[in-house]
Amino acid sequence: MVTQSNLETNQQAAQERLNTPEGKKDFRRAIFSCWLGTTMEYADFALYGLAAGIIFGDVFFPDATPIMALLSSFAAYSVGFIARPIGALFFGWLGDKHGRKMVMVITIALMGLSTTLIGAIPSHAQIGVWAPVCLVILRFAQGLGAGAELSGGTVMLGEYAPVKRRGLVSSIIALGSNSGTLLASMIWLIVLQLDKESLMSWGWRIPFLGSILIALAALFIRQHMRETPVFERQKELLAEERRKALESDTIIHAVDNRSFWQKTRAFWTMVGLRIGENGPSYLAQGFIIGYVTKILLVEKSVPTTAVLIASILGFAIIPFAGWLSDRFGRRIVYRWFCFLLMLYAVPAFMLLDSREPMIVIPTIVVGMGLASLGIFGVQAAWGVELFGVRNRYTKMAFAKELGSILSGGTAPLVAAALLSWTGHWWPIAIYFMGMACIGLVTTFFAPETRGRDLNLPEDAI
């Protein structure tokens, strides 16, 4: 049985290990590996998001109207999010049972291969309907890996980080998402300089094919990573419990499985928090890009420039948000971000309608700063702390991906459908506010977990 004295000893031992040269080396390797893997994940999704809004309608759905092409592109985009909860459950269970490291090696390989193959799909003009079919299949495979990648990196950093700096260190995961978005937008700015014929025939493939380089680098580093101190200790405790049970001829019940399905308050809290972040995030950096270029007919480089600027600013916004959560608590900082997102929605679409680049660019930048950067920097540590060590990876990954499929994964598709149905942006603004409101309300039911011992077996609620 795990006692309070055991837990205090575990924390002290983990902190002492971080102060050794080998411990510091393991910590740096974990940070770099998690950052690079999340960079890969979000570069993939940002590449697809930008391509869906700018390119894929013409390449894979050339016979559709502009609105229907946008709708079809984001429908294929949503398939990846349908796969993510499946990947979260399977790989999360694998990570809780056999370790974080093994899963993170598998997921980065799966994502890297899927993204690279997207760049090799023939166009609709070459193979007809099989082109979008291949796109959907690869998006599904990409989503399987992504469903466990982000949470795996978050759990690993959270379990490695010093208690008092857990919010700041865990926000590195969000820095990885920001780095991926920055990388994708920089590549697209370069690719968009090509003439239209070259862009549509082969230019759009370059970002996808090039992503294999990041995947190979991340794969190499992860093969040399060490497991987190928290998981190593948990593995020792479980082995000891089994040994004692066998010696006393007692039966071991499936405690882990029961605790996952029976104790779900923390799980549903994470789902609510995720909806408040992920839905507005994918509207801000996904749908709005397509809306500005395809519907408002603003020059394609304008929203891409906005994404680039927001990504650069993110290197300051994200760690600042993580530091704020260490200083003032996870709950109050998250609550303010949700509230600001609610205030942002309506004025944002009014400003976008101006079609003026000097107005459109800062409007997109502010939306991404709130929805895709700041709030995400707070969520990382809070999510890890909400769950006990026995099912942390599985619960957190599945909760995040279920929240994603209920919000971010379907948000661009729902927004495109609302636009097609009403012909106006006001239902989209209400939809945006509604998801931010869900996040805001959830913070009043969520516990403050700053500084929580991650060796505890039970959830925070």
Side-chain angles (χ1 to χ4, degrees):
M1 184 176 177
V2 182
T3 66
Q4 183 61 35
S5 61
N6 291 144
L7 294 172
E8 290 174 357
T9 302
N10 295 341
Q11 277 195 311
Q12 184 178 359
Q15 294 304 308
E16 289 175 356
R17 174 179 151 181
L18 284 177
N19 292 328
T20 65
E22 187 63 28
K24 290 178 180 178
K25 184 178 179 181
D26 290 337
F27 186 37
R28 288 194 297 269
R29 186 178 288 140
I31 287 176
F32 185 68
S33 169
C34 293
W35 167 78
L36 194 60
T38 311
T39 297
M40 170 76 187
E41 176 187 351
Y42 274 80
D44 292 349
F45 275 80
L47 284 174
Y48 192 97
L50 288 166
I54 299 173
I55 302 293
F56 281 177
D58 297 324
V59 174
F60 294 106
F61 310 100
D63 300 326
T65 64
I67 289 181
M68 288 308 298
L70 186 66
L71 186 64
S72 300
S73 296
F74 283 124
Y77 183 66
S78 298
V79 169
F81 286 86
I82 295 172
R84 288 177 72 133
I86 301 172
L89 267 180
F90 176 71
F91 289 119
W93 168 80
L94 209 60
D96 280 328
K97 188 174 179 62
H98 298 289
R100 300 17 174 155
K101 174 185 172 179
M102 181 186 74
V103 171
M104 294 186 73
V105 169
I106 296 172
T107 55
I108 199 69
L110 181 59
M111 287 173 53
L113 181 62
S114 302
T115 304
T116 302
L117 290 177
I118 286 177
I121 300 174
S123 68
H124 187 279
Q126 294 171 307
I127 60 172
V129 72
W130 286 107
V133 168
C134 290
L135 182 65
V136 168
I137 292 172
L138 290 174
R139 278 290 296 164
F140 188 86
Q142 190 186 56
L144 285 176
E149 171 62 36
L150 177 63
S151 294
T154 305
V155 168
M156 179 161 277
L157 282 185
E159 291 183 346
Y160 257 112
V163 175
K164 293 183 179 179
R165 292 189 290 132
R166 190 178 291 147
L168 178 61
V169 172
S170 296
S171 72
I172 291 172
I173 283 294
L175 279 179
S177 71
N178 185 60
S179 301
T181 305
L182 173 62
L183 179 63
S185 60
M186 288 176 65
I187 292 173
W188 272 111
L189 278 176
I190 296 171
V191 170
L192 286 173
Q193 304 307 310
L194 295 170
D195 61 87
K196 186 174 181 180
E197 183 178 350
S198 299
L199 178 65
M200 294 300 172
S201 61
W202 57 268
W204 69 269
R205 301 178 186 276
I206 295 174
F208 292 94
L209 295 173
S211 66
I212 192 65
L213 299 176
I214 303 176
L216 290 174
L219 189 60
F220 175 79
I221 295 169
R222 289 185 177 187
Q223 286 178 328
H224 295 85
M225 278 195 318
R226 182 175 176 174
E227 272 297 348
T228 70
V230 172
F231 180 79
E232 287 182 339
R233 179 57 183 162
Q234 170 67 5
K235 193 173 181 179
E236 290 173 4
L237 289 173
L238 288 176
E240 181 67 14
E241 287 177 6
R242 291 189 182 98
R243 184 185 66 79
K244 290 180 178 179
L246 289 172
E247 288 177 354
S248 59
D249 293 326
T250 58
I251 300 174
I252 302 175
H253 295 287
V255 175
D256 290 359
N257 292 334
R258 291 205 315 272
S259 65
F260 179 87
W261 294 111
Q262 290 182 357
K263 300 176 182 178
T264 58
R265 287 184 63 190
F267 175 87
W268 290 110
T269 298
M270 187 70 248
V271 171
L273 294 173
R274 182 68 162 167
I275 290 173
E277 167 264 323
N278 207 240
S281 174
Y282 277 92
L283 286 178
Q285 68 176 338
F287 172 79
I288 284 178
I289 304 300
Y291 176 75
V292 166
T293 56
K294 292 293 185 181
I295 307 303
L296 300 182
L297 302 178
V298 174
E299 175 61 37
K300 293 178 180 178
S301 63
V302 171
T304 310
T305 301
V307 173
L308 176 63
I309 293 172
S311 300
I312 293 172
L313 293 176
F315 288 101
I317 296 171
I318 290 170
F320 180 63
W323 175 82
L324 283 175
S325 75
D326 281 332
R327 177 70 176 80
F328 300 104
R330 321 295 186 214
R331 185 165 53 182
I332 188 65
V333 179
Y334 207 92
R335 187 176 297 164
W336 268 104
F337 273 115
C338 290
F339 180 66
L340 291 174
L341 282 170
M342 292 178 65
L343 296 181
Y344 166 83
V346 172
F349 281 97
M350 293 175 66
L351 292 170
L352 291 175
D353 274 352
S354 71
R355 294 178 170 84
E356 290 292 333
M358 297 305 293
I359 296 177
V360 170
I361 289 175
T363 300
I364 296 176
V365 168
V366 170
M368 287 187 61
L370 293 173
S372 306
L373 303 172
I375 193 171
F376 198 21
V378 181
Q379 187 187 98
W382 203 3
V384 174
E385 292 166 344
L386 277 174
F387 301 107
V389 66
R390 290 182 184 272
N391 294 296
R392 175 172 293 130
Y393 197 161
T394 312
K395 280 189 171 183
M396 180 174 154
F398 189 46
K400 280 196 168 187
E401 300 314 326
L402 180 59
S404 291
I405 200 173
L406 295 174
S407 56
T410 52
L413 178 62
V414 171
L418 289 172
L419 182 64
S420 177
W421 175 48
T422 65
H424 201 274
W425 55 259
W426 64 263
I428 303 169
I430 294 173
Y431 178 48
F432 190 112
M433 293 174 64
M435 287 188 290
C437 183
I438 290 173
L440 177 68
V441 171
T442 304
T443 64
F444 288 94
F445 295 92
E448 177 54 63
T449 60
R450 178 179 47 165
R452 187 170 189 259
D453 184 357
L454 297 186
N455 290 286
L456 291 167
E458 68 275 3
D459 292 343
I461 308 177

